[in-house]
């Protein structure tokens, strides 16, 4: 009986690792030469982190995306039209960058802040005078929070106008609405931490709205403030929510949101053979799918070739192929994201240098400032309260708006995503958005002591 010897195993080396033996990676050499960079790339430490060298080929770029953790967060290839600035204005990525800036600056501020009534205000003063770049970091943190609220609202509006909340992206729209609520909560809880007159009375106005919730309003208010009035318990709870609970929820929400974008695909028009235009949803619902002959190549119909479906056919001299409209994420999209991230960082830094975060006198429950305003993103509700019953303006309207946004993709049965086919929905949404913007502007800029109407060019009662 003859012994059967196993085939020899290729030796490991710069091109002979396990992945290469399995045919998963091309056998290419690392950078030649004796320079420091070449030696580092050939070292085991470098190769344990980066499994193969940079290969400027389509296969090499795909392998880079698969093997690199940060690139793996992106799809390997994307539709070319995603690169256009008008596609999304990079709002989703801007939100992520702003949240990253908030985390970094917030961690820095935590080293110099103690959430107690007796020390919080003194910590804020110490940041202004005794901590290196303390005031600048606080300014950047505050402006990043304001811009994140604005960016989330704009991103939600852009998604609606693009019809990107329709099937199969309904749940991702709901996640976006949850992210909006969490962002507002994150900004609102951080508003109290300076413990000055501005923050104390702004939070007082905001928490008083909860009192009007039927049946459970008083209970919710007690849970938030921890007593009859805002004090140490309130500061401690807002601090815990601001630095731990809400950031963790935002991280989870953003991760799920990005994951669903990858799974659901980009809401872009599809280029195909001929002059056909439209969206994925439109093409799927406008007409029944054409019958696919068994011998037709799968790439012409967006499907996959299955082994059992391949049959013989007569040879042809020419064949029409689908237009390839995808590009590699690396470097096309990633380079644009780096530029946007740098632009966002420069913007918040310029705002932080130009406009200092306000710090008024020490919080005093016995001295009410005039006017006592809520934060600007709640100024529209405060303006609404001056015209309607608190139950209607402070509870029913915001809860109704949030519930409507959550149910929107399930209530809107119109399959089209083209604006001219959604005139009623766009007019209604635009009207409600315009009302909200007008109320916010009036409440923020045109209200003074006693909530009287005052032109902002005569006296400035705005605290951002």
């Amino acid at each position: 009986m003859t012994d059967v010897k196993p085939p020899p195993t290729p030796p490991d080396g710069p091109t002979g690792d396990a992945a290469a033996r399995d045919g998963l990676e091309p056998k290419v050499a690392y950078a030649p030469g004796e320079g420091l960079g070449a030696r580092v790339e050939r070292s085991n430490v470098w190769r344990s982190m980066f499994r193969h060298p940079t290969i400027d080929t389509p296969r090499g770029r795909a392998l880079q995306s698969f093997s690199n953790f940060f690139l793996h967060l992106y799809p390997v290839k994307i539709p070319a039209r995603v690169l256009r600035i008008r596609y999304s204005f990079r709002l989703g990525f801007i939100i992520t960058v702003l949240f990253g800036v908030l985390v970094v600056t917030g961690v820095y501020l935590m080293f110099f802040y103690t959430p107690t009534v007796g020390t919080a205000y003194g910590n804020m003063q110490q940041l202004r005078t005794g901590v290196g770049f303390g005031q600048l970091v606080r300014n950047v943190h505050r402006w990043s929070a304001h811009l994140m609220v604005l960016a989330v609202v704009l991103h939600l509006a852009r998604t609606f106008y693009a019809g990107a909340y329709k099937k199969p992206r309904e749940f991702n729209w709901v996640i976006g609405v949850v992210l909006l609520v969490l962002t507002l909560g994150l900004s609102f809880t951080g508003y109290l931490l300076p413990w000055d007159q501005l923050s104390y009375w702004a939070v007082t106005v905001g928490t008083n709205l909860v009192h009007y919730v039927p049946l459970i309003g008083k209970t919710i208010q007690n849970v938030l403030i921890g007593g009859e009035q805002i004090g140490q318990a309130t500061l401690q709870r807002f601090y815990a929510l601001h630095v731990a609970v809400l950031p963790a929820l935002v991280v989870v929400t953003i991760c799920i949101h990005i994951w669903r974008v990858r799974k659901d695909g980009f809401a872009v028009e599809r280029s195909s053979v001929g002059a056909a235009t439209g969206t994925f949803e439109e093409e799927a619902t406008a007409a029944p799918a054409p019958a696919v002959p068994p011998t037709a190549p799968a790439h012409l119909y967006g499907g996959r070739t299955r082994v059992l479906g391949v049959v013989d056919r007569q040879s042809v001299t020419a064949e029409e192929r689908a237009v390839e409209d995808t590009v590699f994420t690396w470097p096309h999209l990633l380079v644009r994201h780096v530029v946007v991230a740098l632009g966002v960082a420069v913007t918040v830094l310029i705002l932080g240098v130009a406009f200092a975060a306000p710090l008024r006198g020490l919080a005093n429950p016995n001295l009410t400032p005039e006017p006592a305003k809520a934060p600007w993103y709640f100024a529209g509700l405060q303006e609404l309260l001056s015209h309607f019953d608190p139950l209607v303006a402070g509870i029913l309207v915001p809860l109704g708006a949030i519930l409507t946004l959550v149910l929107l993709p399930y209530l809107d049965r119109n399959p089209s995503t083209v604006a001219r086919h959604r005139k009623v929905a766009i007019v209604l949404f635009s009207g409600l958005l315009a009302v909200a913007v007008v109320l916010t502007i009036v409440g923020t800029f045109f209200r003074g002591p006693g909530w009287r109407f005052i032109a902002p060019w005569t006296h400035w009662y705005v605290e951002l």
Side-chain angles (χ1 to χ4, degrees), residues 26 55-66 76-77 328 330:
I55 312 166
D56 193 17
T57 64
R59 180 178 175 82
R61 292 177 183 175
L63 288 173
Q64 278 186 285
S65 296
F66 285 129
V76 176
K77 300 183 77 175
F328 280 97
W330 165 256

Short mmCIF file of all heavy atoms in Angstrom, two decimals, residues 26 55-66 76-77 328 330:
data_model
loop_
_atom_site.label_atom_id
_atom_site.label_comp_id
_atom_site.label_asym_id
_atom_site.label_seq_id
_atom_site.Cartn_x
_atom_site.Cartn_y
_atom_site.Cartn_z
N PRO A 26 -3.73 38.70 -2.96
CA PRO A 26 -2.71 38.54 -4.00
C PRO A 26 -1.33 38.42 -3.39
O PRO A 26 -1.05 38.97 -2.33
CB PRO A 26 -2.87 39.82 -4.83
CG PRO A 26 -3.42 40.81 -3.87
CD PRO A 26 -4.32 40.03 -2.95
N ILE A 55 -2.19 48.23 -2.36
CA ILE A 55 -2.17 47.76 -3.75
C ILE A 55 -3.13 48.63 -4.54
O ILE A 55 -4.33 48.65 -4.28
CB ILE A 55 -2.61 46.29 -3.83
CG1 ILE A 55 -1.85 45.45 -2.78
CG2 ILE A 55 -2.39 45.74 -5.22
CD1 ILE A 55 -2.45 44.09 -2.57
N ASP A 56 -2.58 49.35 -5.50
CA ASP A 56 -3.40 50.28 -6.26
C ASP A 56 -4.07 49.57 -7.44
O ASP A 56 -3.82 49.87 -8.60
CB ASP A 56 -2.54 51.45 -6.76
CG ASP A 56 -3.41 52.59 -7.29
OD1 ASP A 56 -4.62 52.61 -6.98
OD2 ASP A 56 -2.87 53.46 -7.99
N THR A 57 -4.91 48.60 -7.11
CA THR A 57 -5.72 47.88 -8.09
C THR A 57 -7.12 47.73 -7.52
O THR A 57 -7.31 47.86 -6.30
CB THR A 57 -5.14 46.49 -8.39
OG1 THR A 57 -5.20 45.71 -7.19
CG2 THR A 57 -3.70 46.58 -8.88
N PRO A 58 -8.12 47.46 -8.36
CA PRO A 58 -9.47 47.26 -7.81
C PRO A 58 -9.51 46.17 -6.75
O PRO A 58 -10.15 46.33 -5.71
CB PRO A 58 -10.29 46.89 -9.06
CG PRO A 58 -9.58 47.58 -10.19
CD PRO A 58 -8.13 47.50 -9.83
N ARG A 59 -8.83 45.05 -6.98
CA ARG A 59 -8.83 43.98 -6.00
C ARG A 59 -8.11 44.42 -4.73
O ARG A 59 -8.54 44.12 -3.61
CB ARG A 59 -8.14 42.74 -6.59
CG ARG A 59 -8.07 41.55 -5.64
CD ARG A 59 -7.42 40.35 -6.31
NE ARG A 59 -7.23 39.25 -5.39
CZ ARG A 59 -8.17 38.38 -5.06
NH1 ARG A 59 -9.38 38.51 -5.59
NH2 ARG A 59 -7.93 37.40 -4.21
N GLY A 60 -7.02 45.16 -4.89
CA GLY A 60 -6.29 45.62 -3.72
C GLY A 60 -7.11 46.59 -2.88
O GLY A 60 -7.08 46.53 -1.65
N ARG A 61 -7.83 47.48 -3.53
CA ARG A 61 -8.68 48.42 -2.77
C ARG A 61 -9.79 47.69 -2.05
O ARG A 61 -10.16 48.04 -0.91
CB ARG A 61 -9.25 49.46 -3.72
CG ARG A 61 -8.19 50.42 -4.28
CD ARG A 61 -8.80 51.40 -5.26
NE ARG A 61 -7.78 52.26 -5.85
CZ ARG A 61 -8.03 53.14 -6.81
NH1 ARG A 61 -9.26 53.27 -7.28
NH2 ARG A 61 -7.07 53.90 -7.28
N ALA A 62 -10.37 46.68 -2.67
CA ALA A 62 -11.42 45.90 -2.01
C ALA A 62 -10.85 45.18 -0.79
O ALA A 62 -11.47 45.15 0.28
CB ALA A 62 -12.04 44.91 -2.99
N LEU A 63 -9.66 44.60 -0.93
CA LEU A 63 -9.04 43.91 0.20
C LEU A 63 -8.72 44.87 1.33
O LEU A 63 -8.80 44.51 2.51
CB LEU A 63 -7.77 43.19 -0.28
CG LEU A 63 -8.00 41.95 -1.15
CD1 LEU A 63 -6.68 41.44 -1.70
CD2 LEU A 63 -8.70 40.86 -0.34
N GLN A 64 -8.30 46.07 0.99
CA GLN A 64 -8.04 47.06 2.03
C GLN A 64 -9.30 47.35 2.84
O GLN A 64 -9.27 47.46 4.06
CB GLN A 64 -7.52 48.36 1.41
CG GLN A 64 -6.03 48.33 1.11
CD GLN A 64 -5.55 49.69 0.64
OE1 GLN A 64 -5.79 50.07 -0.49
NE2 GLN A 64 -4.87 50.40 1.50
N SER A 65 -10.44 47.48 2.16
CA SER A 65 -11.69 47.75 2.86
C SER A 65 -12.09 46.59 3.75
O SER A 65 -12.62 46.78 4.85
CB SER A 65 -12.81 48.04 1.84
OG SER A 65 -12.54 49.21 1.11
N PHE A 66 -11.85 45.37 3.30
CA PHE A 66 -12.22 44.21 4.09
C PHE A 66 -11.34 44.04 5.32
O PHE A 66 -11.80 43.62 6.38
CB PHE A 66 -12.15 42.93 3.24
CG PHE A 66 -13.29 42.80 2.27
CD1 PHE A 66 -13.04 42.53 0.93
CD2 PHE A 66 -14.60 42.94 2.68
CE1 PHE A 66 -14.08 42.41 0.03
CE2 PHE A 66 -15.64 42.84 1.78
CZ PHE A 66 -15.39 42.56 0.45
N VAL A 76 -17.58 48.68 0.31
CA VAL A 76 -16.42 48.65 -0.57
C VAL A 76 -16.62 49.59 -1.75
O VAL A 76 -15.73 50.36 -2.11
CB VAL A 76 -16.14 47.21 -1.06
CG1 VAL A 76 -14.97 47.20 -2.05
CG2 VAL A 76 -15.82 46.32 0.12
N LYS A 77 -17.80 49.55 -2.37
CA LYS A 77 -18.09 50.40 -3.51
C LYS A 77 -19.42 51.11 -3.28
O LYS A 77 -20.29 50.60 -2.58
CB LYS A 77 -18.15 49.58 -4.81
CG LYS A 77 -16.85 48.86 -5.14
CD LYS A 77 -16.95 48.10 -6.46
CE LYS A 77 -16.83 49.06 -7.63
NZ LYS A 77 -16.79 48.34 -8.93
N PHE A 328 -15.00 52.98 -5.99
CA PHE A 328 -14.50 52.49 -4.71
C PHE A 328 -14.61 53.57 -3.65
O PHE A 328 -14.33 54.75 -3.90
CB PHE A 328 -13.04 52.04 -4.85
CG PHE A 328 -12.89 50.66 -5.44
CD1 PHE A 328 -12.62 50.51 -6.79
CD2 PHE A 328 -13.04 49.54 -4.65
CE1 PHE A 328 -12.48 49.26 -7.34
CE2 PHE A 328 -12.91 48.28 -5.19
CZ PHE A 328 -12.64 48.12 -6.54
N TRP A 330 -12.73 53.84 -1.05
CA TRP A 330 -11.36 54.32 -0.90
C TRP A 330 -10.72 54.41 -2.29
O TRP A 330 -10.71 53.43 -3.00
CB TRP A 330 -10.55 53.38 -0.01
CG TRP A 330 -9.07 53.61 -0.10
CD1 TRP A 330 -8.16 52.85 -0.76
CD2 TRP A 330 -8.34 54.68 0.48
NE1 TRP A 330 -6.91 53.38 -0.64
CE2 TRP A 330 -6.99 54.51 0.13
CE3 TRP A 330 -8.69 55.78 1.26
CZ2 TRP A 330 -5.99 55.39 0.53
CZ3 TRP A 330 -7.70 56.66 1.66
CH2 TRP A 330 -6.37 56.45 1.30
#
